[in-house]
Amino acid sequence: MDHADHPIAVLPGDVRIPLLGFGTWQATGEAGFRAVLDALDAGYRHIDTATMYGNEKEVGRAVRESGLRREDVFLTTKLPPERVGRERETIEESLRALDVDYVDLWLVHWPPSAPGDLIPVWREMLAARDAGLARAVGVSNFSTAQIDELIQATEENPAVNQIRWSPFLYDRQRHAEHRDRGVVLEGYSPFKASDLSDPVLTRIAGAHNVSPAQVVLRWHIDHEIVAIPKSVTPERIRANADVFGFSLTAEEMRDIDALGNV
């Protein structure tokens, strides 16, 4: 894969996020380390982890042992809800575990349970970014209303909102709300939230001689939505990375979008 051709989205501060990332939830220990190493070997240049996943050490080790330069790998980690009020300490722990000087993206993993914590947490995220600990900051599992609260209070929009997303959850309005606010939509669980045996997906996969899973990932990319599939199987990791040799027609995109209205 020629990484120069990989589609990206541009975040505030001219930070470039690859539209295809590798998710590491539940990929822990030696198996997690191997999966990330396999992913980097297969051509992924965007790795998504979180404090909550308990695998930052393994992710960092894989990045180091891959032989790639730090600036060639986009790293995301996330602040867990129970660390509200200890944001700086948490990001510093993450950086030590990953053995890096900065992450490319740091997300609030879930909205804080106390609504009054929403703005203070966001201000701490922005302070970490301004201190150079993260190149960009964003949120995960936030509603549009919660994103608007952050923007109104600080005039700083989250770079990204990472939410559960798939063709079967497609919501044109929600997608537009992110675009209108300059927030990149990043989708997790692209396969878990999809029926890969759906006739629309199997028909389109057949037309391109690819798998339905590859069609789902390509659909994200053609919508300029970041996708972070996860797998610990080397063959599947490679197949999920191999989505740049075809693209979907406007009609195919419309047919897949329509799955969200079923």
Side-chain angles (χ1 to χ4, degrees):
M1 292 160 68
D2 182 356
H3 311 298
D5 298 340
H6 277 204
I8 54 143
V10 181
L11 308 180
D14 200 35
V15 174
R16 289 153 187 269
I17 181 170
L19 290 181
L20 181 67
F22 183 73
T24 65
W25 182 54
Q26 294 179 325
T28 53
E30 193 62 20
F33 161 72
R34 294 250 42 114
V36 176
L37 204 53
D38 286 340
L40 293 167
D41 187 52
Y44 288 91
R45 292 296 177 265
H46 168 187
I47 307 291
D48 179 272
T49 182
T51 295
M52 204 184 257
Y53 300 169
N55 62 8
E56 288 172 318
K57 257 193 177 62
E58 288 77 10
V59 168
R61 185 177 143 220
V63 171
R64 272 195 318 283
E65 295 197 12
S66 71
L68 294 165
R69 297 180 311 171
R70 165 68 190 95
E71 58 269 30
D72 291 338
V73 181
F74 189 98
L75 278 178
T76 299
T77 193
K78 310 181 194 81
L79 172 84
E82 69 275 10
R83 301 305 288 267
V84 166
R86 290 155 50 207
E87 294 84 0
R88 183 59 65 97
E89 181 194 331
T90 303
I91 184 70
E92 286 172 351
E93 282 173 17
S94 286
L95 296 178
R96 274 196 299 277
L98 288 161
D99 194 18
V100 294
D101 297 329
Y102 64 91
V103 288
D104 298 279
L105 181 61
W106 191 34
L107 304 178
V108 183
H109 205 153
W110 291 90
S113 47
D117 288 338
L118 198 64
I119 307 306
V121 166
W122 184 234
R123 290 194 194 281
E124 286 296 327
M125 302 294 284
L126 295 169
R129 180 201 65 190
D130 294 345
L133 305 178
R135 293 172 69 220
V137 288
V139 297
S140 181
N141 302 298
F142 272 54
S143 66
T144 302
Q146 288 167 324
I147 287 172
D148 283 343
E149 268 187 76
L150 303 184
I151 297 171
Q152 278 153 11
T154 63
E155 294 186 354
E156 292 253 26
N157 55 308
V160 166
N161 185 23
Q162 187 183 114
I163 56 178
R164 191 171 157 89
W165 196 258
S166 85
F168 296 83
L169 300 175
Y170 184 62
D171 177 338
R172 187 181 305 279
Q173 187 184 337
R174 196 156 189 214
H175 187 198
E177 286 166 355
H178 283 78
R179 249 197 331 262
D180 294 347
R181 288 157 179 75
V183 178
V184 169
L185 180 56
E186 181 170 15
Y188 67 80
S189 296
F191 304 142
K192 213 175 218 166
S194 291
D195 172 7
L196 295 176
S197 64
D198 185 273
V200 171
L201 294 181
T202 54
R203 168 174 61 77
I204 293 170
H208 293 279
N209 203 19
V210 296
S211 70
Q214 287 168 313
V215 169
V216 166
L217 295 178
R218 187 70 225 191
W219 171 84
H220 281 73
I221 290 163
D222 287 348
H223 266 312
E224 297 183 344
I225 291 169
V226 180
I228 45 170
K230 63 186 186 61
S231 174
V232 291
T233 319
E235 302 71 49
R236 198 163 296 151
I237 289 170
R238 275 197 296 277
N240 291 345
D242 186 16
V243 291
F244 301 109
F246 72 104
S247 62
L248 301 169
T249 66
E251 191 183 351
E252 287 169 339
M253 289 293 284
R254 279 196 299 275
D255 289 348
I256 299 171
D257 290 353
L259 295 171
N261 303 321
V262 176

